[in-house]
Every structure is written in C-alpha cells, then in structure tokens.
Amino acid sequence: MSDLKYCQGPDCHTYNTQDRLKGTKPNKTFQTRRRSYLLFGEFCDRRCSEDWFRKHGTQAVTHFGRITEAKHLTEHNAWVKDYDWRASADDSHRHYFLNTITKEQRPLTEAQYNDSNYTLNTGE
Ligand SMILES: [Zn+2]
C-alpha cells in the first residue's frame, strides 16, 4: 500500500464514481483517487491531468520557459534513433541513427540506443 500516490487532479474528488466513495456508512465521502500507476506519474486519468493543466498550465510554462520564437530543425539536430526488427545475422535488431533531413544512417550499439543521453544532435 505504501506505493500508492494521490492523484494531483484538483477536482478528482468531485467526480462521483463508486471507486472514489470511501469510508463507513454515515461518513462516506468521495475522495481523491490513490493509485500505484498514475498518468505522467501524477494523475489517475486524462481528465484529471487536463484539469490540472487548465488550472496551472500557463503558470508552469511561464516558470519553466516560454517559447518566444520558432525553433528550427536542421541537419545538426535531426538525428533520431531507430532500429530494424531482427535485421542482423544473429536475429537481433539493427540499431541506427537516422538523420531525418539528410537521410544519412549511422550504426548504433544497443547500449547506445538505450542510453537516453547519447545523441548526435548538437543543438536543440
Ligand atoms: Zn484524479
């Protein structure tokens, strides 16, 4: 039970579903859901995540950095990781970087593929 976390939806407790109805008879109340798995690690469902964003989204974007000019995808930041299913001689997947602009491919090891910090991109 210790892994249960409360949904952060500001109105979660106001949605009248049976699973939110807790407590014993004269004192039953609808309560914020607790789950071991939460959407984005914080919400019991999409409605609660959208409620949160509607209430706090603008403030959060302002806090973490608003985009004020267009970002550009160039060949310097167009590398994505991909793989071909069971394409290698030993039946393993063939991992590679693909530049989505130049279409150049460069081989990757599986460890490099799984390393989220490993990139060829040199800009945002
Ligand atoms: Zn919720």
Side-chain angles (χ1 to χ4, degrees):
M1 291 297 271
S2 59
D3 283 24
L4 295 179
K5 287 171 46 181
Y6 284 108
C7 170
Q8 295 301 303
D11 299 325
C12 190
H13 63 291
T14 68
Y15 300 126
N16 298 357
T17 61
Q18 280 308 306
D19 70 298
R20 286 179 172 96
L21 190 56
K22 305 274 184 184
T24 49
K25 256 235 169 125
N27 301 315
K28 284 194 172 195
T29 57
F30 289 97
Q31 299 180 16
T32 300
R33 279 177 169 161
R34 291 176 81 185
R35 294 280 161 85
S36 56
Y37 171 82
L38 294 164
L39 182 66
F40 308 128
E42 303 294 352
F43 306 102
C44 71
D45 60 19
R46 187 158 296 280
R47 175 167 61 178
C48 280
S49 75
E50 289 173 357
D51 288 346
W52 188 94
F53 198 86
R54 205 172 289 113
K55 189 171 180 185
H56 302 295
T58 298
Q59 195 182 344
V61 168
T62 299
H63 178 78
F64 291 108
R66 180 171 300 278
I67 292 171
T68 56
E69 56 189 47
K71 297 169 83 171
H72 300 265
L73 184 69
T74 69
E75 63 186 82
H76 303 292
N77 60 359
W79 293 101
V80 296
K81 292 175 179 178
D82 203 350
Y83 67 91
D84 292 329
W85 175 257
R86 293 181 164 178
S88 298
D90 65 353
D91 224 26
S92 63
H93 313 321
R94 189 179 66 85
H95 299 84
Y96 57 91
F97 268 120
L98 169 67
N99 191 298
T100 60
I101 291 183
T102 64
K103 306 303 179 196
E104 181 186 348
Q105 288 189 19
R106 293 187 192 171
L108 264 179
T109 66
E110 186 170 352
Q112 290 167 333
Y113 179 87
N114 292 325
D115 179 355
S116 60
N117 292 318
Y118 187 75
T119 180
L120 295 180
N121 292 325
T122 55
E124 269 192 63

Coordinates of all heavy atoms in Angstrom, one line a residue, residues 64-120:
F64 N 8.9 27.5 -16.4 CA 9.9 26.6 -17.0 C 10.5 27.1 -18.3 O 11.4 26.6 -18.8 CB 9.4 25.2 -17.1 CG 9.2 24.5 -15.8 CD1 7.9 24.3 -15.3 CD2 10.3 24.2 -15.0 CE1 7.7 23.7 -14.1 CE2 10.1 23.6 -13.8 CZ 8.8 23.3 -13.3
G65 N 9.9 28.2 -18.8 CA 10.5 28.8 -20.0 C 9.5 28.7 -21.2 O 9.3 27.7 -21.8
R66 N 9.0 29.9 -21.6 CA 8.1 30.0 -22.7 C 8.9 30.1 -24.0 O 9.9 30.8 -24.1 CB 7.2 31.3 -22.5 CG 6.2 31.6 -23.5 CD 5.3 32.7 -23.1 NE 4.6 32.4 -21.8 CZ 3.5 31.6 -21.8 NH1 3.0 31.2 -22.9 NH2 3.0 31.3 -20.6
I67 N 8.4 29.4 -25.0 CA 9.0 29.5 -26.4 C 8.5 30.9 -26.9 O 7.3 31.1 -27.0 CB 8.5 28.4 -27.2 CG1 9.2 27.1 -26.7 CG2 8.9 28.6 -28.7 CD1 8.7 25.8 -27.4
T68 N 9.4 31.7 -27.3 CA 9.0 33.1 -27.8 C 9.4 33.3 -29.2 O 9.2 34.3 -29.8 CB 9.6 34.2 -26.9 OG1 11.1 34.0 -26.9 CG2 9.1 34.1 -25.5
E69 N 10.1 32.3 -29.8 CA 10.4 32.4 -31.2 C 10.5 30.9 -31.8 O 10.6 30.0 -31.0 CB 11.8 33.1 -31.5 CG 12.9 32.5 -30.8 CD 14.2 33.3 -30.8 OE1 14.1 34.5 -30.6 OE2 15.2 32.7 -31.1
A70 N 10.3 30.8 -33.1 CA 10.3 29.5 -33.7 C 11.6 28.7 -33.5 O 12.6 29.3 -33.6 CB 10.0 29.6 -35.2
K71 N 11.5 27.4 -33.1 CA 12.6 26.6 -33.1 C 12.8 26.0 -34.5 O 11.8 25.9 -35.2 CB 12.4 25.5 -32.0 CG 12.2 26.0 -30.6 CD 11.8 24.9 -29.6 CE 12.9 24.1 -29.2 NZ 12.5 23.2 -28.0
H72 N 14.0 25.7 -34.8 CA 14.3 25.2 -36.2 C 15.0 23.8 -36.1 O 15.9 23.6 -35.4 CB 15.3 26.1 -36.9 CG 14.8 27.5 -37.0 ND1 14.1 28.0 -38.1 CD2 14.7 28.6 -36.1 CE1 13.7 29.2 -37.9 NE2 14.1 29.6 -36.7
L73 N 14.5 22.9 -37.0 CA 15.1 21.6 -37.1 C 16.0 21.7 -38.3 O 15.6 22.0 -39.4 CB 14.0 20.5 -37.4 CG 14.5 19.1 -37.5 CD1 15.0 18.6 -36.1 CD2 13.5 18.2 -38.1
T74 N 17.3 21.5 -38.0 CA 18.3 21.5 -39.1 C 19.0 20.1 -39.1 O 18.7 19.3 -38.3 CB 19.4 22.6 -38.9 OG1 20.2 22.2 -37.7 CG2 18.7 23.9 -38.6
E75 N 19.9 19.9 -40.0 CA 20.6 18.6 -40.1 C 21.5 18.4 -38.8 O 21.8 17.3 -38.6 CB 21.5 18.5 -41.3 CG 22.6 19.5 -41.4 CD 23.3 19.5 -42.8 OE1 22.8 20.0 -43.8 OE2 24.4 18.8 -42.8
H76 N 21.7 19.4 -38.1 CA 22.6 19.3 -36.9 C 21.8 18.8 -35.7 O 22.4 18.3 -34.7 CB 23.2 20.6 -36.5 CG 24.0 21.2 -37.6 ND1 25.2 20.6 -38.0 CD2 23.8 22.2 -38.4 CE1 25.7 21.3 -39.0 NE2 24.9 22.3 -39.3
N77 N 20.5 18.9 -35.7 CA 19.7 18.4 -34.6 C 18.5 17.5 -35.1 O 17.5 17.3 -34.4 CB 19.1 19.5 -33.7 CG 18.3 20.5 -34.5 OD1 18.0 20.3 -35.7 ND2 17.7 21.5 -33.8
A78 N 18.7 16.8 -36.2 CA 17.7 16.0 -36.8 C 18.0 14.5 -36.7 O 17.3 13.7 -37.3 CB 17.5 16.3 -38.3
W79 N 18.9 14.1 -35.8 CA 19.2 12.7 -35.6 C 18.2 12.1 -34.6 O 17.9 12.6 -33.6 CB 20.6 12.6 -35.0 CG 21.7 13.0 -35.9 CD1 22.4 14.1 -35.9 CD2 22.2 12.2 -37.0 NE1 23.3 14.2 -36.9 CE2 23.2 13.0 -37.6 CE3 21.9 10.9 -37.5 CZ2 24.0 12.5 -38.7 CZ3 22.7 10.5 -38.6 CH2 23.7 11.3 -39.2
V80 N 17.6 11.0 -35.1 CA 16.7 10.2 -34.3 C 17.2 8.7 -34.2 O 17.9 8.3 -35.2 CB 15.2 10.2 -34.8 CG1 14.7 11.6 -34.7 CG2 15.1 9.6 -36.2
K81 N 16.9 8.0 -33.2 CA 17.3 6.6 -33.1 C 16.2 5.7 -33.6 O 15.0 6.0 -33.5 CB 17.5 6.3 -31.6 CG 18.7 6.9 -31.0 CD 18.9 6.6 -29.5 CE 20.1 7.3 -29.0 NZ 20.2 7.1 -27.5
D82 N 16.6 4.7 -34.3 CA 15.6 3.8 -34.9 C 16.2 2.4 -34.9 O 17.4 2.2 -34.6 CB 15.2 4.2 -36.3 CG 13.8 3.7 -36.7 OD1 13.3 2.8 -36.0 OD2 13.3 4.1 -37.7
Y83 N 15.4 1.4 -35.3 CA 16.0 0.1 -35.4 C 15.2 -0.7 -36.4 O 14.0 -0.5 -36.6 CB 16.1 -0.7 -34.1 CG 14.8 -1.1 -33.5 CD1 14.2 -2.3 -33.7 CD2 14.2 -0.2 -32.6 CE1 13.0 -2.6 -33.1 CE2 13.0 -0.5 -32.0 CZ 12.4 -1.7 -32.3 OH 11.2 -2.1 -31.7
D84 N 15.8 -1.7 -37.0 CA 15.2 -2.7 -37.9 C 15.0 -3.9 -37.1 O 16.0 -4.5 -36.6 CB 16.0 -3.0 -39.2 CG 16.0 -1.8 -40.1 OD1 15.0 -1.0 -40.1 OD2 17.0 -1.6 -40.8
W85 N 13.8 -4.4 -37.0 CA 13.4 -5.6 -36.2 C 14.1 -6.8 -36.8 O 14.0 -7.2 -37.9 CB 11.9 -5.8 -36.3 CG 11.4 -7.0 -35.7 CD1 11.0 -8.2 -36.3 CD2 11.1 -7.2 -34.2 NE1 10.5 -9.1 -35.3 CE2 10.6 -8.5 -34.1 CE3 11.4 -6.4 -33.1 CZ2 10.3 -9.0 -32.8 CZ3 11.0 -6.9 -31.9 CH2 10.5 -8.2 -31.7
R86 N 14.9 -7.5 -35.9 CA 15.6 -8.7 -36.3 C 16.3 -8.7 -37.6 O 16.3 -9.7 -38.4 CB 14.6 -9.9 -36.2 CG 14.1 -10.2 -34.9 CD 13.2 -11.4 -34.9 NE 12.9 -11.9 -33.6 CZ 12.1 -12.9 -33.3 NH1 11.4 -13.5 -34.3 NH2 11.9 -13.3 -32.1
A87 N 17.0 -7.6 -37.9 CA 17.6 -7.4 -39.2 C 19.1 -7.9 -39.3 O 19.6 -8.1 -40.4 CB 17.6 -5.9 -39.6
S88 N 19.7 -8.2 -38.1 CA 21.1 -8.7 -38.1 C 21.2 -10.2 -38.3 O 20.2 -10.9 -38.1 CB 21.7 -8.3 -36.8 OG 21.7 -6.9 -36.7
A89 N 22.4 -10.6 -38.7 CA 22.6 -12.1 -39.0 C 22.2 -13.0 -37.8 O 21.7 -14.1 -38.0 CB 24.0 -12.3 -39.4
D90 N 22.4 -12.5 -36.6 CA 22.1 -13.3 -35.4 C 20.7 -13.1 -34.9 O 20.4 -13.4 -33.8 CB 23.1 -13.0 -34.3 CG 23.0 -11.5 -33.8 OD1 22.2 -10.7 -34.4 OD2 23.7 -11.2 -32.8
D91 N 19.8 -12.5 -35.7 CA 18.4 -12.3 -35.4 C 18.2 -11.1 -34.4 O 17.1 -11.0 -34.0 CB 17.8 -13.6 -34.9 CG 16.4 -13.8 -35.5 OD1 16.2 -13.4 -36.6 OD2 15.6 -14.5 -34.8
S92 N 19.2 -10.4 -34.0 CA 19.0 -9.3 -33.2 C 18.6 -8.1 -34.0 O 18.6 -8.1 -35.2 CB 20.3 -8.9 -32.4 OG 21.3 -8.6 -33.2
H93 N 18.1 -7.0 -33.3 CA 17.7 -5.8 -34.1 C 18.9 -5.0 -34.5 O 19.9 -5.0 -33.8 CB 16.8 -4.9 -33.2 CG 15.7 -5.7 -32.5 ND1 15.0 -6.7 -33.1 CD2 15.2 -5.6 -31.2 CE1 14.2 -7.2 -32.2 NE2 14.3 -6.6 -31.1
R94 N 18.8 -4.4 -35.7 CA 19.9 -3.5 -36.1 C 19.5 -2.1 -35.8 O 18.6 -1.5 -36.2 CB 20.0 -3.6 -37.7 CG 21.3 -2.9 -38.2 CD 21.4 -3.1 -39.7 NE 20.3 -2.4 -40.4 CZ 20.3 -1.1 -40.8 NH1 21.4 -0.4 -40.5 NH2 19.3 -0.6 -41.4
H95 N 20.3 -1.5 -34.8 CA 20.0 -0.1 -34.3 C 20.8 0.9 -35.1 O 22.0 0.6 -35.5 CB 20.4 0.0 -32.8 CG 19.7 -1.0 -32.0 ND1 20.0 -2.3 -31.8 CD2 18.5 -0.8 -31.2 CE1 19.2 -2.9 -31.0 NE2 18.2 -2.0 -30.6
Y96 N 20.3 2.0 -35.3 CA 21.0 3.1 -36.1 C 20.4 4.5 -35.8 O 19.3 4.6 -35.3 CB 20.9 2.8 -37.6 CG 19.5 2.7 -38.1 CD1 18.8 3.9 -38.6 CD2 18.8 1.5 -38.2 CE1 17.5 3.8 -39.1 CE2 17.5 1.4 -38.7 CZ 16.9 2.6 -39.1 OH 15.6 2.5 -39.6
F97 N 21.3 5.5 -36.0 CA 20.8 6.8 -36.0 C 20.3 7.1 -37.4 O 21.0 6.7 -38.4 CB 22.0 7.8 -35.7 CG 22.1 8.2 -34.3 CD1 23.3 7.9 -33.6 CD2 21.1 8.8 -33.6 CE1 23.5 8.2 -32.3 CE2 21.3 9.2 -32.3 CZ 22.5 8.9 -31.6
L98 N 19.3 7.9 -37.6 CA 18.8 8.4 -38.9 C 18.7 9.9 -38.8 O 18.1 10.4 -37.9 CB 17.4 7.8 -39.2 CG 16.7 8.4 -40.4 CD1 17.4 8.1 -41.7 CD2 15.2 7.9 -40.4
N99 N 19.3 10.6 -39.8 CA 19.1 12.0 -39.8 C 17.9 12.3 -40.7 O 17.9 11.9 -41.9 CB 20.4 12.7 -40.4 CG 20.3 14.2 -40.3 OD1 19.4 14.8 -40.8 ND2 21.2 14.7 -39.6
T100 N 16.9 12.8 -40.1 CA 15.6 12.9 -40.8 C 15.6 14.0 -41.9 O 14.7 14.1 -42.7 CB 14.4 13.3 -39.8 OG1 14.7 14.5 -39.2 CG2 14.3 12.2 -38.7
I101 N 16.7 14.8 -42.0 CA 16.8 15.7 -43.1 C 17.7 15.2 -44.2 O 17.3 15.2 -45.3 CB 17.3 17.1 -42.5 CG1 16.2 17.7 -41.7 CG2 17.7 18.0 -43.7 CD1 16.5 19.1 -41.1
T102 N 18.9 14.7 -43.8 CA 19.8 14.3 -44.9 C 19.6 12.8 -45.2 O 20.1 12.3 -46.2 CB 21.2 14.4 -44.4 OG1 21.4 13.5 -43.3 CG2 21.6 15.8 -44.0
K103 N 18.8 12.1 -44.4 CA 18.5 10.6 -44.5 C 19.8 9.8 -44.3 O 19.7 8.5 -44.5 CB 17.9 10.3 -45.9 CG 16.7 11.1 -46.2 CD 15.6 10.9 -45.2 CE 14.3 11.8 -45.5 NZ 13.5 11.9 -44.4
E104 N 20.9 10.4 -43.8 CA 22.1 9.6 -43.5 C 21.8 8.6 -42.3 O 21.1 9.0 -41.4 CB 23.2 10.5 -43.1 CG 24.5 9.8 -42.8 CD 25.6 10.7 -42.3 OE1 25.5 12.0 -42.4 OE2 26.6 10.2 -41.8
Q105 N 22.3 7.4 -42.4 CA 22.2 6.5 -41.3 C 23.6 6.2 -40.7 O 24.6 6.1 -41.5 CB 21.6 5.2 -41.8 CG 20.1 5.3 -42.1 CD 19.5 3.9 -42.3 OE1 20.1 2.9 -41.9 NE2 18.3 3.9 -42.9
R106 N 23.7 6.1 -39.4 CA 24.9 5.7 -38.8 C 24.6 4.6 -37.8 O 23.6 4.7 -37.0 CB 25.6 6.9 -38.0 CG 26.1 7.9 -39.0 CD 26.8 9.0 -38.2 NE 27.1 10.2 -39.1 CZ 27.6 11.3 -38.7 NH1 27.9 11.5 -37.4 NH2 27.7 12.3 -39.5
P107 N 25.5 3.5 -37.7 CA 25.2 2.4 -36.8 C 25.3 2.8 -35.4 O 26.0 3.7 -35.0 CB 26.2 1.4 -37.2 CG 27.3 2.1 -38.0 CD 26.7 3.3 -38.5
L108 N 24.5 2.1 -34.6 CA 24.4 2.3 -33.1 C 24.5 0.9 -32.4 O 24.0 0.0 -32.9 CB 23.0 2.8 -32.7 CG 22.7 4.3 -32.6 CD1 21.2 4.4 -32.2 CD2 23.6 4.9 -31.5
T109 N 25.1 0.9 -31.3 CA 25.0 -0.3 -30.5 C 23.7 -0.3 -29.7 O 23.1 0.8 -29.6 CB 26.2 -0.5 -29.5 OG1 26.0 0.6 -28.5 CG2 27.5 -0.4 -30.2
E110 N 23.3 -1.5 -29.2 CA 22.0 -1.5 -28.5 C 22.2 -0.6 -27.2 O 21.2 0.0 -26.8 CB 21.7 -2.9 -28.1 CG 20.3 -3.0 -27.5 CD 19.8 -4.5 -27.3 OE1 20.4 -5.4 -27.8 OE2 18.8 -4.6 -26.6
A111 N 23.4 -0.7 -26.6 CA 23.6 0.1 -25.4 C 23.4 1.6 -25.7 O 22.8 2.4 -24.9 CB 24.9 -0.2 -24.8
Q112 N 24.0 2.1 -26.8 CA 23.9 3.5 -27.2 C 22.4 3.8 -27.5 O 21.9 4.9 -27.2 CB 24.7 3.7 -28.5 CG 26.2 3.7 -28.2 CD 27.0 3.7 -29.5 OE1 26.6 3.2 -30.5 NE2 28.3 4.2 -29.4
Y113 N 21.7 2.9 -28.2 CA 20.3 3.1 -28.5 C 19.5 3.3 -27.2 O 18.6 4.1 -27.1 CB 19.7 1.8 -29.2 CG 18.3 1.9 -29.5 CD1 17.8 2.6 -30.7 CD2 17.3 1.4 -28.7 CE1 16.5 2.7 -31.0 CE2 16.0 1.5 -29.0 CZ 15.6 2.1 -30.1 OH 14.2 2.2 -30.4
N114 N 19.8 2.5 -26.1 CA 19.1 2.6 -24.9 C 19.5 3.7 -24.0 O 18.8 4.0 -23.0 CB 19.2 1.3 -24.1 CG 18.5 0.1 -24.8 OD1 17.4 0.4 -25.4 ND2 19.0 -1.1 -24.8
D115 N 20.7 4.3 -24.3 CA 21.2 5.4 -23.5 C 20.5 6.8 -23.9 O 20.9 7.3 -24.9 CB 22.7 5.5 -23.6 CG 23.3 6.7 -22.8 OD1 22.6 7.4 -22.2 OD2 24.5 6.8 -22.8
S116 N 19.6 7.2 -23.1 CA 18.8 8.4 -23.5 C 19.7 9.7 -23.6 O 19.3 10.7 -24.2 CB 17.6 8.6 -22.6 OG 18.1 8.8 -21.2
N117 N 20.9 9.7 -23.0 CA 21.8 10.8 -23.0 C 22.7 10.8 -24.3 O 23.3 11.8 -24.6 CB 22.7 10.9 -21.8 CG 21.9 11.2 -20.6 OD1 21.0 12.1 -20.6 ND2 22.1 10.5 -19.5
Y118 N 22.7 9.6 -25.0 CA 23.6 9.5 -26.1 C 22.9 10.1 -27.4 O 21.9 9.6 -27.8 CB 24.0 8.1 -26.3 CG 25.0 7.9 -27.4 CD1 26.4 8.2 -27.2 CD2 24.7 7.4 -28.7 CE1 27.3 8.1 -28.2 CE2 25.6 7.2 -29.7 CZ 26.9 7.6 -29.4 OH 27.9 7.5 -30.4
T119 N 23.5 11.1 -28.0 CA 22.9 11.7 -29.2 C 23.9 12.2 -30.1 O 25.1 12.5 -29.6 CB 21.9 12.8 -28.7 OG1 21.3 13.4 -29.9 CG2 22.6 13.9 -28.0
L120 N 23.6 12.4 -31.3 CA 24.5 13.1 -32.3 C 24.1 14.5 -32.4 O 24.7 15.3 -33.1 CB 24.5 12.4 -33.6 CG 25.0 11.0 -33.7 CD1 24.9 10.4 -35.1 CD2 26.5 10.9 -33.2

